[in-house]
Amino acid sequence: MAKKIELTDELIALEEAAWAEQQAGALTIPTALAVQAAVTEHAKATDQSRYGVEQELKRVVRHSEPEV
């Protein structure tokens, strides 16, 4: 059974900022690097797959279901 990927509010906020910049065609290198560094640090600190953390983070921010 796959381990549930845990995310923090800080990670989600960073990805939301990066996604907003990307949607506006204005993603900056510092923003992208901040997200990547935070994902890597979080994955190491929580003993989770870095790829899994990034994949879940993008799913939550970019593909979440709208609230009804």
Side-chain angles (χ1 to χ4, degrees), residues 6-7 13 17 37 42 51 66:
E6 299 172 15
L7 302 174
H42 179 73
Y51 174 77

Side-chain angles (χ1 to χ4, degrees), residues 1-2 8-9 14 17 23 25 34 39 46 51 53 59 64:
M1 179 194 261
T8 64
D9 292 340
L14 280 171
Q23 293 295 99
V39 167
T46 58
Y51 174 77
V53 170
R59 185 196 67 75
S64 63

Side-chain angles (χ1 to χ4, degrees), residues 18-40:
W19 182 235
E21 285 184 15
Q22 190 171 353
Q23 293 295 99
L27 180 63
T28 64
I29 291 172
T31 300
L33 290 175
V35 173
Q36 292 301 307
V39 167
T40 300

